[in-house]
Amino acid sequence: MRKVNQYCIWAVSLLFLSCGSKIEKKETTSIPVYKDAPYKQDFSVKFSTPNNETSFSRVFMDRNKVIQVSSSEGILRTHDGQFLYPGLLVLDKTYRPLTDMHVKNITLYKNQFVYINDKAVFSNSWAGALYLPHDLPNAFTLAAGNDFEFLISDGTTLQFLSKTKAPWKDTLANDQVQDILFDENSKNFWILGQKSIASFDTTTSELRTLYQKKDLTALTLWDNNLIVGTKAGYFTIDPSSGEQIGSVEKKLPFDEITTMTTIDGQLWFGSTKGAFKLRDNGTYDYYYGKRWLPGNHVTHISKGIDGSVLILTNAGLGQIVFKEMTLFDKAKYYEQQVRNRHIRLGFNASLVDLENGNPDSGRLSDSDNDGLWTTMYLAGEVFRYAVTKSDDALQNCKESMDAMERLFSINPVPGFPSRSFERSGYIEKLHDPDRWQHSSDSQWDWKATTSSDEAIGHIFAYGVMAELMDNELKDRAITLIDTLMSHIVRNDLYMVDYDGKPTTWGRWNPTYVNERPKMVGDRKINASNIIAMLQTAYHFTGKEKYKEKAFDLMDNHGYLDNLMWPMKDVTYAPDDADDWSKMLSESWNHSDDEMYFVGYWGLYNYAFNDTLKAKYKKAIIDHWEIERPEKEGAWNIMTALTGTSNFDLEEAAWYLREHPMDLITWDISNSHRKDIEPIEPNFREQTIKEVLPPDERPIQRHNGNMFRLDRVGRDGTEEYSAGDIWLLPYWMGRYLGVISEPQV
């Protein structure tokens, strides 16, 4: 979500992709640089109770940073709890008499806890001297004013309590009291009924009805006005005249308001479907689902003195923490996340079978794309090493490179990269058991049917490594480039599996590629990728066979025209097309976007000549233009490698800042929101006019649809790795010089 406005500083310079690099110097241009200043990163610490029957009413944090919750079980306090490791709400036994006093509710006065039970308003602060008896045995709500003054209610009757003023008691005419609010400016109390709003003057003891309307649910003060929540939106009242200002605001994440408050000048809402905060630009930060809250029905929101926001729900407490950090700080956290629980045999892997989001309960999973996700992580670590010369980054590169090399050596097909490998005896428990084969080493099995997205990932990472490494990894990378590309060229531009047949998706041969109508995406993507792969192979090996094959494809088979086909013209296959082409073009393929952009490293950087480089740049910018609505950080930063000054850097930084720290696949729903603007169904599957921030939508990799609104059914069962999702665009941005080092 939008934390603190960041900005770009513009620097006029020569853009180098690396000091001493073989890549040509870019033309003199003005390039934007994101200044990595600290911002407020939000994440949640959650607390629940073992008793599902417990109901909660209010939550507060006192001056000592103790959190207490009033509940049907009495006063609870937080136990343990940290990011990703929820704590508990347990009965507060700290002060023995408190457990016997049958506390009904709680509030704060001078940042100290004040309680109400059937006999009095009292506190353990001020040496216990605050004790104001009342005669409302069913009182359940209270608010603190000035000078130890309190207004309480049992729903029907109101009673004013003070150490110095005469007591007062009256009823709210024909209404039920729901909440009481003290106004620091007027020194009056505001009383929210189910169908009215009244004020109580502590000086004159006058109770005055200000406004009447049905279905009122919440009340707060903001910008010197009364903000009133309802079952269908909120509206504003002038507290002097009682007149409504403007119309009811219903364009909200959800309009059934349950509670409201003002924290540091910002308006917060609770609803039956999550909590949200009004931004300065009129949009909302939305906190929904277990990424943020134990439950979605919010009952109370309050400010923590540590800068956090306490959101009490039907299932427990979500403490939203706002921590100052830079993108570099976030990268350090993500590096640890990957190394701590996402490395399987050197692969960048997902953690699955989690028990309600507990990362310590999961196991590392194999994947169809172990090679691709790992190469994207590996490339990011190479960029990190190029920037920092970190020994840790170098070791990470070596471990993942070991895994990549073994993908080739573990199967019997020369030059063929396996999808994955695993110890023997688990085939039936792995993904796609029918694709797994036994290795000549009886201790290991390997996965066949490798596809083109794996291949382009390999060449991308090895090209980055060959370009930037100053050690033995450089030669190892070049060897793998030559190994894979020799296999493809030798087999007539197919990847040929153990059975001697081309894999379903490893096909770059003109017979296959040009069989697709021009508007079908596979024709363009396969042409773009194979030219990038052949250029990379020629650049690092100097072998003419790669250059000759690339020019044959461009000159004699239309591959240059294919890859230059405008993205706006990629669409559905015509009615007379073959079934395979129709299947390929049922909708936009976001995995193709991923394949294009990782391929652009080799397509642009290793162009055979300046004429081709200019054409490639045009194709890359054309693709980026159509991707701009997604605000995809990786695609924006990868576009920067062309030397263009316009690649939406602020949107890329927005992606990196707004990405959630929590990468667990919690159920996410946004389609119910009334603050988003749906658009007509379309080929690109863009669902709404403006893309939501990454921390409000489902966790997904770069091959996902950023306009996906909902994902349910995997609630807390899997954690994605930040290796490919976040670390790759961040470190590539650092390497390209468009993200600065952290600013103090």
Side-chain angles (χ1 to χ4, degrees):
M1 298 178 181
R2 184 171 166 222
K3 319 293 189 304
V4 172
N5 288 332
Q6 299 288 316
Y7 58 93
C8 300
I9 59 174
W10 290 83
V12 179
S13 64
L14 288 176
L15 178 61
F16 294 85
L17 288 185
S18 175
C19 294
S21 168
K22 293 181 181 177
I23 297 175
E24 299 176 19
K25 297 177 182 179
K26 301 294 185 285
E27 64 273 15
T28 301
T29 185
S30 296
I31 60 168
V33 180
Y34 175 77
K35 186 177 180 180
D36 188 16
Y39 69 97
K40 293 292 181 68
Q41 175 69 54
D42 51 355
F43 56 87
S44 177
V45 179
K46 292 164 285 189
F47 303 87
S48 60
T49 176
N51 185 357
N52 294 330
E53 302 301 318
T54 303
S55 60
F56 309 99
S57 54
R58 286 186 179 180
V59 59
F60 292 101
M61 178 190 291
D62 75 355
R63 61 181 294 271
N64 303 308
K65 299 183 181 179
V66 174
I67 298 174
Q68 287 190 340
V69 175
S70 58
S71 78
S72 57
E73 304 296 319
I75 295 298
L76 309 178
R77 66 179 292 152
T78 56
H79 166 70
D80 203 3
Q82 55 186 298
F83 176 55
L84 296 184
Y85 295 89
L88 295 174
L89 295 175
V90 299
L91 189 64
D92 192 338
K93 301 177 182 178
T94 309
Y95 185 65
R96 181 166 54 186
L98 189 65
T99 61
D100 300 324
M101 296 177 78
H102 307 293
V103 174
K104 298 289 186 67
N105 217 329
I106 187 175
T107 192
L108 283 184
Y109 179 63
K110 296 183 182 295
N111 286 326
Q112 303 278 20
F113 293 129
V114 177
Y115 310 101
I116 187 170
N117 66 4
D118 58 349
K119 295 181 176 61
V121 170
F122 63 96
S123 177
N124 292 326
S125 301
W126 306 287
L130 174 59
Y131 190 88
L132 298 173
H134 65 76
D135 51 11
L136 300 180
N138 294 318
F140 67 88
T141 188
L142 76 163
N146 288 330
D147 302 322
F148 291 94
E149 297 174 348
F150 299 87
L151 188 62
I152 69 171
S153 178
D154 61 2
T156 302
T157 303
L158 292 157
Q159 185 170 6
F160 175 66
L161 304 174
S162 171
K163 282 190 171 185
T164 58
K165 297 178 182 178
W168 169 92
K169 186 167 65 173
D170 202 349
T171 59
L172 191 64
N174 301 314
D175 206 352
Q176 290 288 312
V177 176
Q178 298 186 88
D179 201 5
I180 305 171
L181 179 70
F182 182 69
D183 186 345
E184 288 285 354
N185 293 326
S186 67
K187 310 304 179 187
N188 292 337
F189 286 96
W190 293 101
I191 299 100
L192 174 70
Q194 293 178 351
K195 53 186 178 181
S196 69
I197 297 171
S199 67
F200 174 71
D201 190 318
T202 60
T203 302
T204 64
S205 295
E206 178 188 8
L207 180 66
R208 181 172 66 96
T209 298
L210 182 76
Y211 184 86
Q212 291 182 311
K213 187 175 183 177
K214 291 182 179 180
D215 295 329
L216 306 182
T217 60
L219 182 68
T220 192
L221 287 157
W222 183 62
D223 198 23
N224 297 318
N225 289 315
L226 287 170
I227 310 299
V228 185
T230 75
K231 294 181 179 179
Y234 76 91
F235 58 92
T236 303
I237 292 179
D238 183 330
S240 300
S241 65
E243 295 295 323
Q244 181 175 325
I245 302 172
S247 59
V248 177
E249 180 59 64
K250 296 184 177 182
K251 293 182 66 175
L252 310 170
F254 201 65
D255 61 0
E256 188 174 356
I257 307 299
T258 56
T259 185
M260 296 189 302
T261 192
T262 302
I263 298 176
D264 297 331
Q266 295 181 307
L267 194 56
W268 284 79
F269 302 82
S271 76
T272 54
K273 288 192 177 181
F276 44 97
K277 178 187 70 176
L278 180 64
R279 299 178 185 139
D280 294 339
N281 65 358
T283 59
Y284 297 90
D285 286 333
Y286 189 31
Y287 298 89
Y288 174 93
K290 292 180 183 177
R291 177 183 296 162
W292 301 107
L293 307 172
N296 284 320
H297 189 120
V298 178
T299 59
H300 188 236
I301 301 175
S302 68
K303 176 185 177 180
I305 67 165
D306 59 356
S308 66
V309 173
L310 308 176
I311 302 178
L312 191 62
T313 75
N314 60 311
L317 170 65
Q319 181 182 14
I320 310 301
V321 178
F322 297 88
K323 183 178 180 180
E324 189 173 272
M325 62 171 57
T326 62
L327 293 181
F328 179 68
D329 295 327
K330 195 170 185 177
K332 289 192 291 185
Y333 165 75
Y334 279 143
E335 293 283 358
Q336 187 60 37
Q337 185 248 20
V338 176
R339 302 311 302 181
N340 186 44
R341 53 183 183 269
H342 286 281
I343 300 299
R344 183 186 74 86
L345 302 172
F347 294 123
N348 175 42
S350 292
L351 200 65
V352 301
D353 293 344
L354 275 63
E355 299 171 3
N356 196 29
N358 178 3
D360 292 339
S361 65
R363 65 172 178 83
L364 290 166
S365 175
D366 67 287
S367 163
D368 239 20
N369 291 113
D370 276 340
L372 178 58
W373 309 143
T374 304
T375 54
M376 294 175 74
Y377 166 62
L378 176 56
E381 289 300 287
V382 175
F383 289 130
R384 178 187 170 203
Y385 176 75
V387 171
T388 66
K389 297 302 179 184
S390 161
D391 288 338
D392 181 62
L394 179 59
Q395 183 61 31
N396 295 344
C397 290
K398 290 179 177 179
E399 289 185 16
S400 288
M401 192 59 169
D402 288 344
M404 303 315 293
E405 288 173 328
R406 198 169 189 211
L407 288 175
F408 289 85
S409 63
I410 202 168
N411 72 71
V413 184
F416 182 84
S418 311
R419 283 188 180 271
S420 185
F421 56 80
E422 183 54 279
R423 296 184 188 276
S424 60
Y426 296 92
I427 285 181
E428 295 306 316
K429 298 180 180 180
L430 300 174
H431 286 100
D432 313 306
D434 57 306
R435 298 183 179 183
W436 285 83
Q437 307 297 319
H438 296 304
S439 169
S440 58
D441 181 343
S442 62
Q443 299 297 312
W444 294 92
D445 296 321
W446 63 280
K447 192 172 188 179
T449 72
T450 306
S451 56
S452 56
D453 53 350
E454 296 281 293
I456 191 62
H458 281 269
I459 298 301
F460 165 58
Y462 305 152
V464 172
M465 183 174 284
E467 185 70 47
L468 303 181
M469 280 298 183
D470 53 4
N471 48 56
E472 46 93 19
L473 286 176
K474 180 184 187 76
D475 292 335
R476 291 168 63 182
I478 294 172
T479 296
L480 289 190
I481 291 171
D482 193 27
T483 299
L484 174 56
M485 294 310 298
S486 289
H487 172 93
I488 292 171
V489 171
R490 182 172 62 249
N491 288 290
D492 202 16
L493 301 184
Y494 292 104
M495 276 202 297
V496 176
D497 216 331
Y498 70 96
D499 57 3
K501 299 177 182 179
T503 64
T504 302
W505 299 107
R507 298 166 182 251
W508 301 272
N509 184 282
T511 301
Y512 172 82
V513 172
N514 289 335
E515 186 179 6
R516 313 278 79 78
K518 287 187 175 182
M519 74 287 295
V520 175
D522 256 40
R523 182 164 177 157
K524 177 179 172 72
I525 181 61
N526 284 331
S528 179
N529 275 182
I530 193 60
I531 297 302
M533 294 159 69
L534 290 166
Q535 286 186 161
T536 303
Y538 175 73
H539 181 83
F540 288 108
T541 69
K543 294 183 178 181
E544 289 295 326
K545 64 179 179 180
Y546 299 126
K547 184 176 183 179
E548 290 171 359
K549 179 56 68 175
F551 275 104
D552 174 55
L553 293 173
M554 290 189 286
D555 294 341
N556 301 319
H557 298 282
Y559 274 39
L560 182 59
D561 291 337
N562 288 348
L563 70 87
M564 294 299 296
W565 183 262
M567 275 293 179
K568 66 180 178 61
D569 295 332
V570 173
T571 186
Y572 304 103
D575 292 340
D576 60 353
D578 61 284
D579 290 342
W580 189 256
S581 294
K582 290 179 180 178
M583 180 276 295
L584 290 170
S585 60
E586 290 174 349
S587 64
W588 190 269
N589 190 332
H590 296 276
S591 286
D592 284 359
D593 291 328
E594 186 172 62
M595 294 167 63
Y596 278 115
F597 276 96
V598 298
Y600 289 155
W601 176 269
L603 185 70
Y604 183 79
N605 286 330
Y606 309 131
F608 291 122
N609 55 56
D610 290 342
T611 300
L612 285 173
K613 178 168 279 194
K615 288 181 178 292
Y616 298 155
K617 180 175 181 177
K618 182 179 178 181
I620 294 169
I621 299 298
D622 172 68
H623 187 185
W624 169 76
E625 285 284 358
I626 207 168
E627 293 294 323
R628 293 180 75 180
E630 294 191 5
K631 298 183 181 180
E632 226 288 3
W635 306 163
N636 289 352
I637 288 171
M638 288 178 174
T639 300
L641 68 86
T642 65
T644 180
S645 62
N646 183 18
F647 55 93
D648 288 350
L649 175 60
E650 178 52 35
E651 283 73 12
W654 171 86
Y655 170 91
L656 295 172
R657 291 194 308 269
E658 301 285 336
H659 210 281
M661 304 282 283
D662 182 345
L663 301 186
I664 293 171
T665 57
W666 300 111
D667 282 357
I668 297 293
S669 293
N670 286 293
S671 55
H672 60 265
R673 294 176 64 162
K674 299 183 178 180
D675 63 329
I676 56 179
E677 186 176 341
I679 63 175
E680 290 296 319
N682 53 83
F683 181 68
R684 285 188 56 82
E685 297 183 322
Q686 181 174 339
T687 55
I688 55 178
K689 187 175 181 180
E690 294 288 336
V691 71
L692 294 172
D695 59 358
E696 295 181 18
R697 62 192 191 220
I699 288 294
Q700 57 190 5
R701 293 186 169 89
H702 298 294
N703 65 339
N705 180 6
M706 300 302 153
F707 284 94
R708 181 173 185 171
L709 298 178
D710 306 332
R711 171 174 279 173
V712 297
R714 300 164 63 189
D715 203 20
T717 61
E718 184 173 352
E719 184 187 52
Y720 281 21
S721 167
D724 52 300
I725 295 175
W726 199 94
L727 290 173
L728 171 60
Y730 170 74
W731 285 114
M732 188 173 186
R734 286 290 305 275
Y735 170 71
L736 292 176
V738 298
I739 298 175
S740 78
E741 62 184 8
Q743 306 294 296
V744 178

